Amino acid sequence: MELQQLGKTLLATNERSEQLVEGLLLLARSDNQIVERKPVDLAEVAEQAVDQVHAEAEAKGVEIRGERQSAVVQGNGVLLERIALNLVQNAVRYNVQEDGWVEVTTEIQHGQAVLVVSNTGPVVPAYEIDNLFEPFKRLRGADRTGSDKGVGLGLSIVRSVARAHGGHIYAQPREGGGLVMRVTLPI
């Protein structure tokens, strides 16, 4: 029975990967604008990301919390899911050793849909923030460099997808360590 479940999980993961590649290729071909748009609730997208990262967070002792209110935008669901997944994964992976947390919230604010992912983690100097979004670049320091968990494209993909949806991503260091990543999208 477990083998059957594993097979289903792998097929679903493979299908998601194919959809992501198709979405990214579509994004590249369409001059970074999303042509086909459908209603997508950021709360559902964020919840899906939290579900996917839950086991990794639990293994690291990182608590995931936050209130997710409905925030419907017009866009590509697979690409919007990738925004949330990349942010939540990074927030879990680059966290503190003990008593870490990640907060994932969604809401409508000032006429925009907002996804905020904050975490405890290493101190990030303000001057390093812009480098986070550059492809293949990572922060200097033991907590990020040399990690085998990615290739340094996650946040550049997040920025590209947010822009393609007419939105923005803002990052700021959290006092005491960690980051606050704020994605705003038009509704």
Side-chain angles (χ1 to χ4, degrees):
M1 200 55 136
E2 284 181 35
L3 191 57
Q4 211 171 26
Q5 184 58 43
L6 176 62
K8 287 179 184 176
T9 302
L10 289 174
L11 283 173
T13 301
N14 188 42
E15 185 177 325
R16 272 200 149 61
S17 295
E18 286 177 17
Q19 290 173 345
L20 174 63
V21 169
E22 286 174 18
L24 291 171
L25 288 172
L26 178 66
L27 183 61
R29 284 194 303 265
S30 63
D31 295 328
N32 291 332
Q33 286 299 313
I34 301 298
V35 181
E36 288 184 38
R37 294 174 180 257
K38 295 179 181 170
V40 179
D41 190 341
L42 283 186
E44 291 175 14
V45 163
E47 199 61 49
Q48 180 101 20
V50 167
D51 287 348
Q52 284 184 259
V53 179
H54 179 76
E56 184 177 351
E58 204 169 77
K60 285 193 72 169
V62 174
E63 173 196 0
I64 301 180
R65 62 190 192 202
E67 191 173 316
R68 292 172 277 287
Q69 299 172 5
S70 182
V72 178
V73 299
Q74 296 295 316
N76 178 302
V78 172
L79 293 177
L80 291 171
E81 186 179 299
R82 180 51 53 175
I83 283 181
L85 183 60
N86 285 4
L87 291 178
V88 175
Q89 277 179 334
N90 278 354
V92 167
R93 290 175 179 172
Y94 303 114
N95 214 303
V96 293
Q97 298 294 326
E98 288 181 13
D99 299 323
W101 54 260
V102 172
E103 186 169 81
V104 182
T105 63
T106 57
E107 64 182 328
I108 300 289
Q109 199 176 70
H110 307 295
Q112 293 197 306
V114 181
L115 164 67
V116 178
V117 179
S118 350
N119 73 326
T120 48
V123 173
V124 179
Y127 63 83
E128 287 277 15
I129 293 292
D130 287 343
N131 289 336
L132 292 174
F133 296 98
E134 294 303 316
F136 309 111
K137 291 218 177 165
R138 297 176 152 194
L139 291 182
R140 291 182 277 286
D143 287 334
R144 294 187 85 97
T145 309
S147 168
D148 61 354
K149 294 203 168 67
V151 294
L153 283 173
L155 292 178
S156 59
I157 289 171
V158 167
R159 181 178 60 187
S160 293
V161 171
R163 284 180 178 168
H165 284 84
H168 300 283
I169 180 163
Y170 308 94
Q172 67 184 66
R174 226 179 88 347
E175 193 172 318
L179 290 169
V180 177
M181 304 295 255
R182 180 183 184 84
V183 177
T184 58
L185 299 167
I187 54 173

